[in-house]
Amino acid sequence: MEIIDAHVHSLPRGTMDGGETDVRLETVLSGLRARNITRAIFVPINDAWWQPVDEMNDYMVEVVRKHPSIVGFIDIDISKAHLYGGIERLEKDIEMRYSSGLRGIKVHLQNLGVNADDWRLLPVYRLAGELNIPVMLHCYPGSGPGLLENSSPLYIEKMIRAFRNTHFIISHLGGIPYVDLLPHLYHDNVRFETSGVLPTLKRYLGTERLSHLLNDIGYERIFFGSDFPSCDLDTQISILKEIVPREQWNKVFSGNILEFGREFGWWVETADCENTGTIL
Ligand SMILES: [Zn+2]
């Protein structure tokens, strides 16, 4: 069975999590290879204080050029969007990164410190729909400068309904505070990925409730994601195998994301990855 990871980090700065985690490219790639992960989505963190956004996007463009097995998402900086011409510059930057090969946009609501319906994000959602690339929304309270409210599905719901021609991937299943609201986000343009949160949810909800939740979301809407190297990859693979019925593993670990990604031209050069055993 092929495993594709929908949520991986590598930054040109080389570390994240306050310096605790080594996110240099070679470290990350060798970690993925060691688990036979064949393809991955690399996402930025929208934290301009830790990792300047232009440098991040330049780096991501290089990474995807050298590694066709990696899909790279665009980093955004909304801190200057209120200035004259600011929205236009934000849009132009996204278009430029799209034309350089990046194929998705990361919106990290906690690191931006805003709710999903912040006015500066509206053009981002609209443009993603026009370019036909998905938006990955961080949905897990915790990291600063954001507060509890920033990840709330109450705001996400409005956006996924209003921008119905834009595809969204909800990351981290809402964490403990919002996991019960996830059913309100079940719309045709929405998928969910499991990164980072499975050990916590298993501890908090127990195996049975977690399994009900994933069953309720629908196995066809779920992608395996890890948040590697911030989070332990092996634990998350084993929890997901424990929770998801075996007959659904293919879909959740790779089938769903391959089908979803076809719409956006992901991995066109690595179509026979699984058969040839080629890795990253
Ligand atoms: Zn992450």
Side-chain angles (χ1 to χ4, degrees):
M1 177 184 70
E2 182 177 13
I3 301 182
I4 299 179
D5 194 327
H7 190 130
V8 173
H9 293 292
S10 176
L11 312 182
R13 178 184 170 135
T15 61
M16 61 183 271
D17 303 328
E20 299 278 296
T21 308
D22 179 353
V23 289
R24 289 171 300 169
L25 185 60
E26 272 319 309
T27 316
V28 175
L29 289 179
S30 61
L32 294 172
R33 286 178 189 130
R35 277 90 176 181
N36 287 324
I37 288 173
T38 45
R39 311 182 225 206
I41 296 182
F42 277 27
V43 292
I45 56 173
N46 297 173
D47 184 350
W49 298 104
W50 186 258
Q51 176 57 71
V53 169
D54 286 342
E55 189 183 300
M56 180 71 230
N57 282 327
D58 289 343
Y59 172 80
M60 196 69 93
V61 167
E62 278 310 299
V63 168
V64 302
R65 268 192 197 139
K66 288 194 196 120
H67 301 274
S69 301
I70 297 170
V71 169
F73 273 35
I74 299 168
D75 200 2
I76 56 165
D77 176 8
I78 60 169
S79 67
K80 300 181 193 73
H82 62 286
L83 301 174
Y84 179 76
I87 291 292
E88 191 180 352
R89 277 193 297 279
L90 175 63
E91 291 176 345
K92 288 263 181 299
D93 193 51
I94 291 170
E95 283 166 0
M96 195 249 290
R97 300 307 182 174
Y98 171 80
S99 60
S100 304
L102 303 188
R103 286 291 176 270
I105 303 172
K106 177 71 184 287
V107 173
H108 195 304
L109 298 164
Q110 295 298 131
N111 285 349
L112 294 173
V114 298
N115 298 335
D117 65 349
D118 187 278
W119 70 276
R120 295 161 294 182
L121 293 174
L122 306 184
V124 174
Y125 304 141
R126 179 188 51 74
L127 185 56
E130 287 170 13
L131 295 172
N132 197 28
I133 51 175
V135 174
M136 180 182 279
L137 288 175
H138 174 104
C139 184
Y140 187 109
S143 50
L147 297 168
L148 179 63
E149 187 185 22
N150 294 141
S151 281
S152 174
L154 294 173
Y155 307 106
I156 295 175
E157 183 197 15
K158 290 192 263 181
M159 298 302 101
I160 60 179
R161 293 178 71 170
F163 294 94
R164 62 189 182 84
N165 293 322
T166 300
H167 292 271
F168 292 89
I169 303 168
I170 309 295
S171 292
H172 316 304
L173 304 176
I176 291 167
Y178 293 125
V179 71
D180 290 338
L181 292 180
L182 286 189
H184 301 285
L185 304 182
Y186 301 168
H187 289 271
D188 289 346
N189 56 336
V190 180
R191 301 292 186 281
F192 299 85
E193 61 89 2
T194 61
S195 62
V197 74
L198 292 175
T200 313
L201 285 185
K202 187 185 165 189
R203 202 168 56 242
Y204 189 79
L205 300 175
T207 309
E208 201 178 333
R209 253 187 92 198
L210 180 54
S211 127
H212 280 312
L213 172 77
L214 297 191
N215 189 39
D216 194 44
I217 290 174
Y219 299 111
E220 68 289 344
R221 294 178 206 269
I222 299 172
F223 307 150
F224 164 69
S226 71
D227 225 345
F228 183 75
S230 281
C231 298
D232 184 80
L233 199 37
D234 302 309
T235 311
Q236 298 184 76
I237 292 174
S238 70
I239 294 178
L240 204 57
K241 284 184 171 170
E242 181 192 341
I243 302 291
V244 173
R246 185 177 269 274
E247 65 273 17
Q248 307 288 351
W249 284 5
N250 267 324
K251 278 199 231 168
V252 169
F253 281 102
S254 54
N256 290 338
I257 199 165
L258 283 174
E259 194 186 322
F260 180 76
R262 222 170 277 141
E263 164 91 17
F264 315 109
W266 293 357
W267 300 302
V268 280
E269 292 171 45
T270 58
D272 62 349
C273 206
E274 189 179 15
N275 297 330
T276 59
T278 316
I279 53 170
L280 289 157

